[in-house]
Amino acid sequence: MRRLFLSAALPLVLAACATTQPEIAATAPPAASTAPAKPAPLSQLVDAVDIPYQSFTLPNGLTVLVHTDRKTPVVGVTTYYRVGSKNEPRGKTGFAHLYEHLFFGGSENVPNFDIPLEGAGSTSTNGSTWYDRTNYVETVPTGALDLTLFMESDRMGHLLGAVTQDKLDKQRGVVQNEKRLGDNQPYGLTEYLIGDALFPVGHPYRHSTIGSMADLDAATLSDVRQWYIDNYGPNNAILALTGDIDAATARPLVEKWFGDIPRGPEITEPTSPIVTLDAPKRQVITDQVPATKIFKVWSGPGLNAPDAAALDAGMTVLGGLASSRLDNILVRDEQLAVSVSAYAQQFEDASLLQAEMVVKPGVDEALAERRLGEVIDQLVADGPTGDELLRAATRSVSAEIGALEVVGDMGGKGATLAEGLLYSGDPAHYKKALEETATLTPAQVRAALAKWLGRPAYTLVVEPGERTLDGADLGGWGDEGSVAPPPPDPKTPAPPVAEGPAREAPPVAPVADLTFPAVRHATLSNGIPVSLATRTAIPKVSVSLDFDAGYAADGNARAGTQSLMMDLLKEGTTSRSAVEIAEEQERLGASIETGTSLDSSRVSMTALTANLAPSLTLMADIARHPKFAADDVARVRDQRLAAIQQQQATPTTLAQRALKPLIYGAAHPYGSVGSAGRTSVVEGLTPADLSTAHETWLRPDLAQITVVGDITMDRLLPLLEQAFGNWQAPATPAPTKDLSVAVPPAKQRMVVIDRPGAPQSMIMMGHVLPVEGTAPSLESLDLANQVIGGGFLSRLNMDLREDKGWTYYAYSSVSSTKGPLMATAYSPVQTDKTGEAIKAMLADMRAFPAGKRVDQVELQRVTDGNVRGLPNSFQTNSQVLGGILDNQLLGRPDNYYSTLPAVYGAMDAAAIDTAAAKYLQPDDMVIVVVGDRKEIDSQLADLGIPIEYREASEF
């Protein structure tokens, strides 16, 4: 993946034509308005999934797919190349992914690929590499399509002259730090070991996509040029254009920009035979992990195999549903595991059939491993029930309906069409796959599981202890050190560098007028306010039930109470068990989540419109009638304690847990380690404590309901009234949170948390700002953050990643909270650059604006670029919902987003510079470093910043 994060710009949701409707009160619904309790037939749901398209092919072999969706004036530009890590020969592992990074470094006529696109309003400019393909995505305003196609064609046909040794060296460093980032996570080495165990040396799916350090080090400029010549021809590519476009408009544009690019060599696909182990394999390693994790894995057939759909469904029943076999038996009933999962990870020519369990601390590992195998064996022997298959299929279809909202990006309609053509020869393969899933029988699934899971498996056990393996040595071909790589062929000269004729970029057309669904307001008979934005793009509805609580309601003394209480809501009500809750939402195709942010406790749901009435009934039961049974509380509490250990073992989350208490102080409601809480608090929580927290904070006079989707207010209100209208507030006064508590005086210091052997140091620095999120006119601060660290083109990221190659990302953020805001800057850097990276981050922030004011390119990108990018920010119901919820939290009017174009248009560089000088200077920031102390101590000593050493267990 080229990036860990996309642009960190504000989550903007435009409301250019929004209107606030008058508030109305609900009345009790007549009985006839109640929707039927039974879910809609699965066949009806399958029929709702449709992505009509047209296609054409240029004489040079470029295949183009066009899907028209006029709901938003944006176009998804999705390009797939049939080349991935399975195409890499010995000595060049990781090369496809390395080249993906280089593809963003500029072409002969486009010095920088990101600057013009983000300035034109692209809010998803990214790429990724996997075993079978490399893809590139942009979602742009319709007026920027011509520019985007010019740029994509310049990369496809006019790149070699811009590929330099300097770019190769820098991106090599970035990719190696991406590898270190993954390796540094708990269980971060398992992917390498699974591939090595299941596939023989030389098998295309054996080595990891990230590759080995040695091969990345050995990549030459000649290698890079030849890879481009061999694999990036138009005849090896698919271009999908989806959204505000049609084939008649697309064809002349594509011919104009891509038509003169010559065909490339024909690609010979590597042979990928199905591999069966001769006998079971078992491996035990130790690592810096909080708990033992057991993996049981088989290799399997590719996604076009006759058994593919049955295997996917079978693995979903095993461990992919909330009500899966593994969840019900190993987590809920026998309580041998704190988490489980199972899935079929399907590629073009192979798959991984994988089951995992994190063993509950104190449980005998041998017993846990044996029971994992027995549960799998039982499913293989008996097969799933018809109801299990129905739930698995409904979940898949519901997810596919949700994906129809997005025209571009990694998982949108463009990717669905392109992958269907690339892997299966049919852009509409998704529909055939859903239809096959919907008609599977238990006998078919049982036969497929018996055939493939009846073979010898690889079992990997990762136990807590010292890390004995080095990720730098893993991920390669597999015979390094034993078989010499083949010598270079003297008949193959380095590819020539011959630049083509100069090409001029087209202008960006004006952005079309933008609309946002009107926000209507009403009130239930018990006083709960209701807000609705009607959107009919897909037959789904998103619902959010928010309470003015959040984990700020705990403070430091009760840290973890609110979120544990919210977790228990789905573990049983007075009328439904946890299994019944999980099964019912799966049958309905709904997804109900509970959780906490800093300021809010939330029960949220996405539901099919056809099943909204019974889905709301289930949602209300979860929110209003939790049981808090002692056994459930004990089980979920143990899971939470394991989750806290996982956070303390993960560098990024550990730094996050440490920072807020250090800068807000223990007395402030925001001075908590986070929603997971503290071990000492969670250990002592009882059913009575959680029931009290529920009664205190989850009450109708602290609630509001926000809905976005395919429903009108006159249909919605009776359903909400039936589910929530008779919920009465208790007689006790509603509780409040005091966000005015003073925070400690800001003072620069460094807190170091030792992580022995870590290949990277996680650096996170921050301070509390003297302003609350409800304050008006904070747009200049938001834009200042975008300039310094709020996106890929920000100064921090361009310095530490793109120029120095020390990290995979370097970003900053300003929190979006009701109370005092927090500004942070963070980056995971290679261990030997820890001290220099802190110096560089501090210098970059100090220089803004004292040494380097906002320049015109930055100003255009964060003002006009944001305005142009607004349409991309409300493609989905969830994006619109998020914008409305932000307005509610921060006290902004419904038409807030409609004012942003004018606000940004009037914003000058001086206002952004002033905000940076006032809020984003680093000299009073607390700096948290999670890294290998023996390697970084001497580096940190040279910084002249007071240092204190703390243990991970303290946070």
Side-chain angles (χ1 to χ4, degrees), residues 748 765-767 841-848 919-927:
Q748 188 176 71
M765 57 185 73
H767 60 190
M841 293 174 73
L842 295 175
D844 287 339
M845 288 187 284
R846 289 177 184 137
F848 179 34
Y919 296 118
L920 302 181
Q921 295 308 297
D923 290 334
D924 63 353
M925 285 185 167
V926 174
I927 305 170

Side-chain angles (χ1 to χ4, degrees), residues 529-823:
V530 177
S531 300
L532 168 67
T534 299
R535 301 179 83 243
T536 58
I538 62 169
K540 295 191 81 169
V541 176
S542 295
V543 183
S544 185
L545 171 63
D546 286 81
F547 301 90
D548 186 7
Y551 62 91
D554 292 335
N556 211 27
R558 305 291 295 169
T561 305
Q562 189 77 198
S563 64
L564 188 66
M565 178 269 291
M566 295 298 294
D567 282 355
L568 263 298
L569 297 185
K570 290 177 64 176
E571 296 301 326
T573 69
T574 54
S575 60
R576 291 173 171 91
S577 69
V579 172
E580 289 171 334
I581 290 171
E583 290 181 350
E584 188 170 347
Q585 68 173 328
E586 288 159 0
R587 291 189 195 99
L588 293 168
S591 176
I592 301 176
E593 302 296 336
T594 60
T596 56
S597 64
L598 192 54
D599 291 308
S600 177
S601 297
R602 178 173 299 162
V603 181
S604 60
M605 178 176 72
T606 60
L608 297 160
T609 306
N611 295 338
L612 181 58
S615 298
L616 281 172
T617 298
L618 176 61
M619 179 185 185
D621 192 39
I622 289 170
R624 297 178 57 183
H625 307 124
K627 189 173 185 179
F628 299 120
D631 288 346
D632 292 331
V633 170
R635 170 173 51 81
V636 177
R637 185 176 56 217
D638 288 343
Q639 292 175 283
R640 171 59 59 80
L641 294 172
I644 293 172
Q645 289 183 317
Q646 177 81 0
Q647 290 184 356
Q648 292 170 331
T650 305
T652 302
T653 52
L654 175 56
Q656 291 169 338
R657 288 177 64 89
L659 187 60
K660 280 184 182 176
L662 292 171
I663 64 175
Y664 280 105
H668 196 280
Y670 288 179
S672 170
V673 293
S675 64
R678 293 184 178 273
T679 297
S680 58
V681 174
V682 173
E683 284 176 332
L685 290 174
T686 66
D689 295 328
L690 300 174
S691 180
T692 298
H694 178 266
E695 293 171 2
T696 302
W697 292 100
L698 268 61
R699 41 192 285 167
D701 51 345
L702 290 179
Q704 60 183 8
I705 298 173
T706 311
V707 182
V708 176
D710 183 27
I711 192 147
T712 59
M713 187 67 89
D714 61 336
R715 291 173 54 209
L716 174 66
L717 278 182
L719 300 179
L720 293 179
E721 185 69 26
Q722 184 175 28
F724 298 101
N726 65 351
W727 190 7
Q728 298 302 314
T732 55
T736 59
K737 298 167 290 188
D738 185 3
L739 302 180
S740 66
V741 173
V743 301
K747 179 181 179 182
Q748 188 176 71
R749 56 181 169 141
M750 188 179 301
V751 174
V752 177
I753 304 173
D754 189 21
R755 182 173 171 80
Q760 284 185 331
S761 297
M762 184 65 210
I763 302 166
M764 185 171 291
M765 57 185 73
H767 60 190
V768 179
L769 303 182
V771 63
E772 295 187 342
T774 53
S777 304
L778 293 178
E779 291 79 15
S780 60
L781 170 59
D782 296 326
L783 298 187
N785 175 68
Q786 290 183 47
V787 170
I788 189 61
F792 185 80
L793 291 173
S794 67
R795 294 183 184 182
L796 287 173
N797 198 58
M798 295 302 288
D799 182 15
L800 269 69
R801 172 181 158 138
E802 293 297 289
D803 184 47
K804 294 182 170 66
W806 294 347
T807 182
Y808 183 45
Y809 65 86
Y811 288 144
S812 68
S813 67
V814 175
S815 61
S816 180
T817 54
K818 183 182 294 186
L821 300 178
M822 173 181 69

